[in-house]
Amino acid sequence: MSTLTADRLRAVQRRTVRVLSLGQVLGGIAFGATVSLGALLAADLSGDDALSGLATASVTLGAAAFAIPLARFAARRGRRLSLTAGNLLALIGIAVVISAAAWRVFPLLLVGIVMIGMGNAGNLQSRFAAADLASPEHRGRDLSIVVWSTTVGGVAGPLLLTPGEVVGQAVGMPPLTGSYLFSFVAQAAALVLYLVALRPDPLLTALRMVESPSRAAVLGAGEDHPVAARYAIFAVAGSHAVMASVMAMTPIHLKHMAHGMGGGMPSSTDVTLLVGITIALHVAGMYGLSPVFGILADRWGRIRVVLLGQAVLAASLVTAIVAGENPAGVMIALVLLGLGWSAATVAGAALLTESSTVPRRPRRQGISDSLMSLTAAVGAAAAGPVLTHFGYGGLSIVALVFVVAITVLSPLGRIR
């Protein structure tokens, strides 16, 4: 590869990361709103708090169902069209959720949330798109920059709950759906951005490069390590299951705490504000320090940062067990939960990418995202009954099992 070609490759990679980062800012708004409102809408329409976990289960189930088909589509047609397809599904899903709230049809609400989850599968695969053309020494950094960009939209989504309700009431929207107006506009903007600006397509460019052994070496795509790849998939899926199961029940747990406090029954606005702030802090933890974890993964190694993530997740769960009946304790636990998730998933995604040759990457990345979302869906669905019978602390104890398993099996992820 000539110097000119190498320079051009770096320029293309910088442009790709910028476009993906902006797309993640926009896409994160819909994700943040769905996480915050989904459980509350599900509880309201179903009339049963135990069914509230089905909202998070539905969004993750949608992502699980669409991850592998989206990865296969990306392998054939590239990242640009696959990410655009995800945005389109999210737009349709938002419209269905608003309609379900207006008609008060609980099953239709779950259908809409599933479609938003299918769109979120595209958001998840954006981080892999950032790694398609990245050099091995900067793969964790580039991948984590795109993950970090979700912070803006992910934090803005929950914080838009109260302003969204004001706007929604002004235009006659159903309760708890106003902020989806902002989500719809953001998703439409992301769709246009990917269609227009994500050129050349990073995955198709990488596939062409590996036809030459010298160029394949530049991408670190010469050897395949299936055992390490399988461990990376397990570590990411397990960490996501821990995060999703606890996070799914936090809005309901906070609502119960708010209604149990003295001084009279709190208003729905007070509960919504408490939930919005807590989830916003959690999402900030999920994405805010991801570049730090990406740089650490490049310098320390992927496995060490995966284990760092498990340590932080354990600290979060212990905090939830000890201080889970105090709003401040819940906020601290949720911030730590986000930080642990960030470290584990950034390092795990980098490990999965570098342990796979370029032609095998899309399929394994699709499997990883599918299993990640599927285990989270099962965890979120089961979290409702666990919370009802054993409380917030009992839910955290169950989640610790995954942390222990990921830690014990970590030697399998080392590339020799």
Side-chain angles (χ1 to χ4, degrees):
M1 177 180 294
S2 66
T3 303
L4 180 62
T5 305
D7 290 342
R8 183 174 182 276
L9 177 62
R10 285 191 290 269
V12 168
Q13 173 64 0
R14 286 193 296 269
R15 173 183 169 83
T16 298
V17 171
R18 287 196 297 267
V19 171
L20 292 170
S21 297
L22 180 56
Q24 285 296 90
V25 170
L26 298 169
I29 293 177
F31 172 70
T34 300
V35 167
S36 301
L37 290 177
L40 297 177
L41 276 170
D44 179 50
L45 296 187
S46 69
D48 187 352
D49 286 349
L51 297 179
S52 59
L54 291 179
T56 301
S58 296
V59 75
T60 50
L61 183 62
F66 200 53
I68 293 177
L70 191 66
R72 289 175 177 170
F73 183 62
R76 293 194 306 269
R77 303 297 299 275
R79 300 288 189 188
R80 184 172 66 91
L81 294 182
S82 66
L83 296 179
T84 301
N87 291 133
L88 181 60
L89 281 168
L91 284 172
I92 298 172
I94 291 170
V96 172
V97 165
I98 295 172
S99 301
W103 300 332
R104 299 197 63 79
V105 180
F106 178 61
L108 185 61
L109 172 72
L110 297 183
V111 171
I113 294 177
V114 165
M115 296 187 72
I116 293 176
M118 294 171 75
N120 192 48
N123 281 346
L124 290 173
Q125 292 191 13
S126 293
R127 70 196 193 282
F128 292 125
D132 286 334
L133 295 175
S135 60
E137 63 271 19
H138 295 143
R139 182 171 292 129
R141 182 200 64 185
D142 290 353
L143 186 151
S144 64
I145 288 173
V146 173
V147 173
W148 174 86
S149 301
T150 312
T151 308
V152 180
V155 173
L159 293 180
L160 288 173
L161 297 187
T162 301
E165 283 302 289
V166 174
V167 174
Q169 290 176 5
V171 299
M173 292 183 65
L176 297 176
T177 63
S179 64
Y180 280 113
L181 279 176
F182 304 129
S183 300
F184 191 90
V185 173
Q187 283 289 345
L191 186 151
V192 173
L193 173 70
Y194 289 140
L195 272 180
V196 173
L198 195 59
R199 301 171 184 269
D201 188 279
L203 180 56
L204 297 182
T205 302
L207 288 170
R208 286 193 296 268
M209 287 182 62
V210 297
E211 295 174 359
S212 166
S214 61
R215 295 188 177 189
V218 172
L219 299 179
E223 297 183 14
D224 191 58
H225 303 276
V227 174
R230 285 193 288 269
Y231 173 77
I233 292 171
F234 171 71
V236 170
S239 299
H240 194 67
V242 170
M243 184 276 294
S245 60
V246 176
M247 180 186 65
M249 289 297 99
T250 296
I252 302 303
H253 179 61
L254 289 172
K255 186 181 78 169
H256 290 165
M257 282 199 303
H259 285 276
M261 293 176 181
M265 187 70 69
S267 68
S268 60
T269 301
D270 293 335
V271 174
T272 302
L273 183 61
L274 177 61
V275 171
I277 292 174
T278 302
I279 297 299
L281 290 173
H282 167 67
V283 175
M286 287 175 67
Y287 303 114
L289 293 183
S290 56
V292 174
F293 295 128
I295 293 171
L296 290 178
D298 288 335
R299 295 182 178 179
W300 290 1
R302 319 306 185 194
I303 294 299
R304 289 182 180 179
V305 179
V306 168
L307 293 177
L308 173 63
Q310 302 316 300
V312 178
L313 286 174
S316 165
L317 298 174
V318 170
T319 301
I321 294 168
V322 175
E325 298 305 315
N326 183 290
V330 173
M331 289 183 183
I332 293 172
L334 265 286
V335 171
L336 291 173
L337 188 72
L339 290 171
W341 175 91
S342 180
T345 54
V346 166
L351 176 62
L352 176 59
T353 300
E354 73 182 13
S355 61
S356 307
T357 57
V358 172
R360 290 187 172 96
R361 286 177 186 174
R363 177 177 175 273
R364 288 179 180 172
Q365 290 163 351
I367 292 173
S368 176
D369 281 349
S370 181
L371 288 177
M372 177 178 73
S373 299
L374 185 61
T375 55
V378 173
V386 172
L387 179 71
T388 300
H389 291 93
F390 302 104
Y392 202 59
L395 176 61
S396 301
I397 292 173
V398 173
L400 272 172
V401 174
F402 289 93
V403 174
V404 173
I406 294 168
T407 302
V408 170
L409 296 176
S410 61
L412 297 176
R414 303 189 184 280
I415 296 176
R416 309 197 188 288

PDB file of all heavy atoms in Angstrom, residues 321-342:
ATOM      1  N   ILE A 321     -28.063  -3.455  46.238  1.00  0.00           N
ATOM      2  CA  ILE A 321     -28.490  -4.329  47.333  1.00  0.00           C
ATOM      3  C   ILE A 321     -28.495  -3.566  48.658  1.00  0.00           C
ATOM      4  O   ILE A 321     -29.437  -3.661  49.447  1.00  0.00           O
ATOM      5  CB  ILE A 321     -27.565  -5.557  47.427  1.00  0.00           C
ATOM      6  CG1 ILE A 321     -27.727  -6.437  46.179  1.00  0.00           C
ATOM      7  CG2 ILE A 321     -27.861  -6.372  48.687  1.00  0.00           C
ATOM      8  CD1 ILE A 321     -26.671  -7.505  46.037  1.00  0.00           C
ATOM      9  N   VAL A 322     -27.445  -2.780  48.880  1.00  0.00           N
ATOM     10  CA  VAL A 322     -27.264  -2.110  50.168  1.00  0.00           C
ATOM     11  C   VAL A 322     -28.088  -0.825  50.273  1.00  0.00           C
ATOM     12  O   VAL A 322     -28.673  -0.528  51.312  1.00  0.00           O
ATOM     13  CB  VAL A 322     -25.761  -1.799  50.392  1.00  0.00           C
ATOM     14  CG1 VAL A 322     -25.567  -0.983  51.662  1.00  0.00           C
ATOM     15  CG2 VAL A 322     -24.967  -3.092  50.465  1.00  0.00           C
ATOM     16  N   ALA A 323     -28.140  -0.046  49.188  1.00  0.00           N
ATOM     17  CA  ALA A 323     -28.766   1.283  49.239  1.00  0.00           C
ATOM     18  C   ALA A 323     -29.893   1.435  48.226  1.00  0.00           C
ATOM     19  O   ALA A 323     -30.223   2.553  47.833  1.00  0.00           O
ATOM     20  CB  ALA A 323     -27.700   2.359  49.013  1.00  0.00           C
ATOM     21  N   GLY A 324     -30.493   0.336  47.816  1.00  0.00           N
ATOM     22  CA  GLY A 324     -31.496   0.392  46.761  1.00  0.00           C
ATOM     23  C   GLY A 324     -32.829   0.974  47.167  1.00  0.00           C
ATOM     24  O   GLY A 324     -33.684   1.200  46.310  1.00  0.00           O
ATOM     25  N   GLU A 325     -33.051   1.249  48.457  1.00  0.00           N
ATOM     26  CA  GLU A 325     -34.304   1.856  48.894  1.00  0.00           C
ATOM     27  C   GLU A 325     -34.181   3.354  49.064  1.00  0.00           C
ATOM     28  O   GLU A 325     -35.086   3.996  49.609  1.00  0.00           O
ATOM     29  CB  GLU A 325     -34.757   1.213  50.214  1.00  0.00           C
ATOM     30  CG  GLU A 325     -35.038  -0.280  50.108  1.00  0.00           C
ATOM     31  CD  GLU A 325     -36.052  -0.594  49.005  1.00  0.00           C
ATOM     32  OE1 GLU A 325     -37.071   0.123  48.927  1.00  0.00           O
ATOM     33  OE2 GLU A 325     -35.814  -1.551  48.231  1.00  0.00           O
ATOM     34  N   ASN A 326     -33.084   3.919  48.610  1.00  0.00           N
ATOM     35  CA  ASN A 326     -32.869   5.362  48.660  1.00  0.00           C
ATOM     36  C   ASN A 326     -32.675   5.872  47.237  1.00  0.00           C
ATOM     37  O   ASN A 326     -31.887   5.293  46.482  1.00  0.00           O
ATOM     38  CB  ASN A 326     -31.632   5.670  49.518  1.00  0.00           C
ATOM     39  CG  ASN A 326     -31.389   7.152  49.682  1.00  0.00           C
ATOM     40  OD1 ASN A 326     -31.018   7.843  48.734  1.00  0.00           O
ATOM     41  ND2 ASN A 326     -31.593   7.646  50.893  1.00  0.00           N
ATOM     42  N   PRO A 327     -33.368   6.947  46.822  1.00  0.00           N
ATOM     43  CA  PRO A 327     -33.205   7.439  45.451  1.00  0.00           C
ATOM     44  C   PRO A 327     -31.768   7.742  45.080  1.00  0.00           C
ATOM     45  O   PRO A 327     -31.335   7.454  43.957  1.00  0.00           O
ATOM     46  CB  PRO A 327     -34.073   8.695  45.413  1.00  0.00           C
ATOM     47  CG  PRO A 327     -35.116   8.463  46.466  1.00  0.00           C
ATOM     48  CD  PRO A 327     -34.416   7.690  47.549  1.00  0.00           C
ATOM     49  N   ALA A 328     -31.000   8.303  46.012  1.00  0.00           N
ATOM     50  CA  ALA A 328     -29.598   8.602  45.720  1.00  0.00           C
ATOM     51  C   ALA A 328     -28.806   7.321  45.508  1.00  0.00           C
ATOM     52  O   ALA A 328     -27.928   7.252  44.636  1.00  0.00           O
ATOM     53  CB  ALA A 328     -28.988   9.422  46.859  1.00  0.00           C
ATOM     54  N   GLY A 329     -29.106   6.298  46.312  1.00  0.00           N
ATOM     55  CA  GLY A 329     -28.425   5.020  46.140  1.00  0.00           C
ATOM     56  C   GLY A 329     -28.735   4.389  44.794  1.00  0.00           C
ATOM     57  O   GLY A 329     -27.857   3.811  44.137  1.00  0.00           O
ATOM     58  N   VAL A 330     -29.983   4.507  44.349  1.00  0.00           N
ATOM     59  CA  VAL A 330     -30.363   3.976  43.041  1.00  0.00           C
ATOM     60  C   VAL A 330     -29.614   4.721  41.937  1.00  0.00           C
ATOM     61  O   VAL A 330     -29.138   4.109  40.974  1.00  0.00           O
ATOM     62  CB  VAL A 330     -31.884   4.078  42.840  1.00  0.00           C
ATOM     63  CG1 VAL A 330     -32.263   3.677  41.420  1.00  0.00           C
ATOM     64  CG2 VAL A 330     -32.611   3.195  43.843  1.00  0.00           C
ATOM     65  N   MET A 331     -29.515   6.037  42.066  1.00  0.00           N
ATOM     66  CA  MET A 331     -28.800   6.812  41.050  1.00  0.00           C
ATOM     67  C   MET A 331     -27.331   6.390  40.960  1.00  0.00           C
ATOM     68  O   MET A 331     -26.794   6.212  39.870  1.00  0.00           O
ATOM     69  CB  MET A 331     -28.899   8.310  41.361  1.00  0.00           C
ATOM     70  CG  MET A 331     -30.275   8.896  41.147  1.00  0.00           C
ATOM     71  SD  MET A 331     -30.310  10.680  41.456  1.00  0.00           S
ATOM     72  CE  MET A 331     -32.060  11.020  41.212  1.00  0.00           C
ATOM     73  N   ILE A 332     -26.686   6.210  42.104  1.00  0.00           N
ATOM     74  CA  ILE A 332     -25.277   5.781  42.109  1.00  0.00           C
ATOM     75  C   ILE A 332     -25.152   4.394  41.474  1.00  0.00           C
ATOM     76  O   ILE A 332     -24.261   4.146  40.651  1.00  0.00           O
ATOM     77  CB  ILE A 332     -24.725   5.780  43.546  1.00  0.00           C
ATOM     78  CG1 ILE A 332     -24.650   7.209  44.091  1.00  0.00           C
ATOM     79  CG2 ILE A 332     -23.341   5.123  43.590  1.00  0.00           C
ATOM     80  CD1 ILE A 332     -24.304   7.289  45.565  1.00  0.00           C
ATOM     81  N   ALA A 333     -26.052   3.499  41.849  1.00  0.00           N
ATOM     82  CA  ALA A 333     -26.003   2.143  41.289  1.00  0.00           C
ATOM     83  C   ALA A 333     -26.192   2.170  39.780  1.00  0.00           C
ATOM     84  O   ALA A 333     -25.512   1.445  39.043  1.00  0.00           O
ATOM     85  CB  ALA A 333     -27.074   1.277  41.947  1.00  0.00           C
ATOM     86  N   LEU A 334     -27.082   3.022  39.290  1.00  0.00           N
ATOM     87  CA  LEU A 334     -27.355   3.079  37.848  1.00  0.00           C
ATOM     88  C   LEU A 334     -26.191   3.700  37.081  1.00  0.00           C
ATOM     89  O   LEU A 334     -25.896   3.301  35.950  1.00  0.00           O
ATOM     90  CB  LEU A 334     -28.635   3.852  37.587  1.00  0.00           C
ATOM     91  CG  LEU A 334     -29.917   3.021  37.432  1.00  0.00           C
ATOM     92  CD1 LEU A 334     -29.946   2.300  36.103  1.00  0.00           C
ATOM     93  CD2 LEU A 334     -30.076   2.010  38.573  1.00  0.00           C
ATOM     94  N   VAL A 335     -25.515   4.676  37.681  1.00  0.00           N
ATOM     95  CA  VAL A 335     -24.320   5.242  37.025  1.00  0.00           C
ATOM     96  C   VAL A 335     -23.239   4.175  36.912  1.00  0.00           C
ATOM     97  O   VAL A 335     -22.625   3.990  35.854  1.00  0.00           O
ATOM     98  CB  VAL A 335     -23.804   6.471  37.795  1.00  0.00           C
ATOM     99  CG1 VAL A 335     -22.451   6.903  37.248  1.00  0.00           C
ATOM    100  CG2 VAL A 335     -24.797   7.630  37.684  1.00  0.00           C
ATOM    101  N   LEU A 336     -22.982   3.456  38.006  1.00  0.00           N
ATOM    102  CA  LEU A 336     -21.981   2.382  37.976  1.00  0.00           C
ATOM    103  C   LEU A 336     -22.385   1.275  37.016  1.00  0.00           C
ATOM    104  O   LEU A 336     -21.536   0.697  36.322  1.00  0.00           O
ATOM    105  CB  LEU A 336     -21.800   1.807  39.383  1.00  0.00           C
ATOM    106  CG  LEU A 336     -21.136   2.722  40.419  1.00  0.00           C
ATOM    107  CD1 LEU A 336     -21.176   2.088  41.804  1.00  0.00           C
ATOM    108  CD2 LEU A 336     -19.696   3.029  40.016  1.00  0.00           C
ATOM    109  N   LEU A 337     -23.683   0.991  36.949  1.00  0.00           N
ATOM    110  CA  LEU A 337     -24.169  -0.028  36.015  1.00  0.00           C
ATOM    111  C   LEU A 337     -23.829   0.365  34.577  1.00  0.00           C
ATOM    112  O   LEU A 337     -23.389  -0.466  33.777  1.00  0.00           O
ATOM    113  CB  LEU A 337     -25.677  -0.188  36.180  1.00  0.00           C
ATOM    114  CG  LEU A 337     -26.342  -1.344  35.433  1.00  0.00           C
ATOM    115  CD1 LEU A 337     -25.982  -2.674  36.080  1.00  0.00           C
ATOM    116  CD2 LEU A 337     -27.863  -1.161  35.428  1.00  0.00           C
ATOM    117  N   GLY A 338     -24.033   1.639  34.256  1.00  0.00           N
ATOM    118  CA  GLY A 338     -23.698   2.114  32.919  1.00  0.00           C
ATOM    119  C   GLY A 338     -22.215   2.067  32.633  1.00  0.00           C
ATOM    120  O   GLY A 338     -21.782   1.687  31.539  1.00  0.00           O
ATOM    121  N   LEU A 339     -21.393   2.445  33.618  1.00  0.00           N
ATOM    122  CA  LEU A 339     -19.939   2.439  33.424  1.00  0.00           C
ATOM    123  C   LEU A 339     -19.411   1.025  33.214  1.00  0.00           C
ATOM    124  O   LEU A 339     -18.563   0.783  32.340  1.00  0.00           O
ATOM    125  CB  LEU A 339     -19.252   3.079  34.629  1.00  0.00           C
ATOM    126  CG  LEU A 339     -19.436   4.594  34.794  1.00  0.00           C
ATOM    127  CD1 LEU A 339     -18.884   5.053  36.142  1.00  0.00           C
ATOM    128  CD2 LEU A 339     -18.736   5.343  33.665  1.00  0.00           C
ATOM    129  N   GLY A 340     -19.891   0.077  34.019  1.00  0.00           N
ATOM    130  CA  GLY A 340     -19.448  -1.308  33.853  1.00  0.00           C
ATOM    131  C   GLY A 340     -19.851  -1.869  32.507  1.00  0.00           C
ATOM    132  O   GLY A 340     -19.073  -2.567  31.846  1.00  0.00           O
ATOM    133  N   TRP A 341     -21.067  -1.572  32.095  1.00  0.00           N
ATOM    134  CA  TRP A 341     -21.529  -2.001  30.766  1.00  0.00           C
ATOM    135  C   TRP A 341     -20.640  -1.423  29.678  1.00  0.00           C
ATOM    136  O   TRP A 341     -20.271  -2.124  28.731  1.00  0.00           O
ATOM    137  CB  TRP A 341     -22.978  -1.555  30.573  1.00  0.00           C
ATOM    138  CG  TRP A 341     -23.532  -1.818  29.215  1.00  0.00           C
ATOM    139  CD1 TRP A 341     -24.192  -2.940  28.803  1.00  0.00           C
ATOM    140  CD2 TRP A 341     -23.478  -0.951  28.075  1.00  0.00           C
ATOM    141  NE1 TRP A 341     -24.556  -2.817  27.477  1.00  0.00           N
ATOM    142  CE2 TRP A 341     -24.127  -1.614  27.008  1.00  0.00           C
ATOM    143  CE3 TRP A 341     -22.950   0.318  27.856  1.00  0.00           C
ATOM    144  CZ2 TRP A 341     -24.255  -1.036  25.738  1.00  0.00           C
ATOM    145  CZ3 TRP A 341     -23.076   0.891  26.596  1.00  0.00           C
ATOM    146  CH2 TRP A 341     -23.729   0.221  25.559  1.00  0.00           C
ATOM    147  N   SER A 342     -20.292  -0.159  29.798  1.00  0.00           N
ATOM    148  CA  SER A 342     -19.480   0.510  28.777  1.00  0.00           C
ATOM    149  C   SER A 342     -18.126  -0.165  28.626  1.00  0.00           C
ATOM    150  O   SER A 342     -17.692  -0.480  27.510  1.00  0.00           O
ATOM    151  CB  SER A 342     -19.305   1.986  29.141  1.00  0.00           C
ATOM    152  OG  SER A 342     -18.538   2.666  28.177  1.00  0.00           O
TER     153      SER A 342
END
